[in-house]
Amino acid sequence: MKRSFYYYITLAIIATCLFGSSIIYAKEEKTKDFQIKDGVLVKYKGINSEVIVPDGVTVIGRSAFKDNQTIRSVILPDGVTRIEDRAFDGCINLQSVSMSKSVIYIGDEAFRHCEKLSSIHTMKNVETIGMGAFAFCSNLYDLGSFDKLRFVGDYGAFFGTGWMEEELKKSDMVIINNILVYGKNCSGYVEIPKGITHIAGVAFAGTKEMTHVVIPDTVKSIGYAAFDNCINLESIRMADSVESIGEQAFRYCRKLKNVRLSNSLKSLEFGLFEGCSRLYNITLPESCESISSNVFSDCRRLKYITFSEKMNENICKQMLINISRIKSSCKIYLTKSDKNKAFVKNLQNQGWEVEELELQRKEVSLKKGETFELRMNSYAKCTWKSSNPSVAAVNYYGKITAKNKGTAVITATLYGKTYKCKVTVK
């Protein structure tokens, strides 16, 4: 019995010596094609057409598979949360990708120019898709659901995909999970659908037939160059829900005259209105904390600039630097306040024309059915209200419509101050 026991032990030792090293070697063979550091797949160095990424990888690193012309399919393990910028960019023979449910982020140009990619599984937990992520994936028709998508980046994340082509057959606007990603087929007067939370970068860029845009109170952000070079766009009306607007969002909208900015904006980004040569009026949001360079470059017809008394002097200086080249044609309007007397005097010493904000008219007499456009002297964006809409109604822009005989008071609110006009309907 004892002899038999030693016999089997000896066999086990021999087997380990003979095969153990080959098992370890096989495991090394499996992972040697992958350069992995701290859970990040830095680079794939293999030549296999079918790739199974090893367990333990949590991030597909930047350019990890870039320009690989061998791979045809990729399977990602559970635990991968991010696919970084250009991870599979230029993989022209890649046909399918199986992602784990844990993936929440797909970076800029991650799958750009994957021309044969036709299948990508499990997108429903992805929260962010970067700019140009799937651009020019011409055979990609099915992307599944986007249950948790919150942000789509700039440069047309789905431009040139078969999926985009099919979506445009259904509507002029392509919308994913309340994100407007494409609208270049729109024309005339365009109302962004209520419920949209984000307008992706370049979504309307180059649209030639659109003339007016209304942005509802569900939109929180507008991406880079979203309306760039919309050459016939004349007006933009946005609700105060918009908290951020990307750089060059309205650049080269050469017919743009009237913009009603959100009062929730914290900054005016680089080149925001660059080349808007017909823009004549701007009201700075009271919430504004910074103004970048070139915001009003080549806005040579800008005449009316409205400031709040609560804005700090640094913001005002940033604004003045932006319009220094066209100051001879500009007039600055400020709310009356003892706080800004020194600043006003300084502006006047520099040659700026400064006036106090007020309504153009304080009394209006109308006949039933007549209308009147009530304005601030700076044409500033206000909130309008009628004390008696059955006598005199007023719309978003300050247009009064005489309804019935009587009197009403129209109140304009700007920067927390109220301005009143008495309307008499005969």
Side-chain angles (χ1 to χ4, degrees), residues 30-45 53-59:
K30 182 179 179 181
T31 59
K32 74 173 186 177
D33 292 340
F34 303 91
Q35 181 184 344
I36 301 170
K37 184 178 180 180
D38 298 328
V40 178
L41 174 54
V42 178
K43 192 70 178 177
Y44 174 68
K45 300 179 290 183
V53 176
D55 291 336
V57 171
T58 58
V59 176

Side-chain angles (χ1 to χ4, degrees), residues 48 52-54 82 87-88 107 115 117 140 144 170 178 196 206 217 253-254 270 295 298 305 343 350 366 380 409 423:
N48 295 326
I52 301 175
V53 176
R82 297 173 65 89
F88 296 92
E115 298 165 3
L117 182 63
L140 188 58
K170 304 172 188 176
N178 294 326
I196 298 298
D217 60 7
C253 295
R254 301 188 184 279
F270 175 84
V295 170
D298 198 31
I305 305 167
F343 181 61
Q350 294 180 49
L366 299 172
V409 176
V423 178

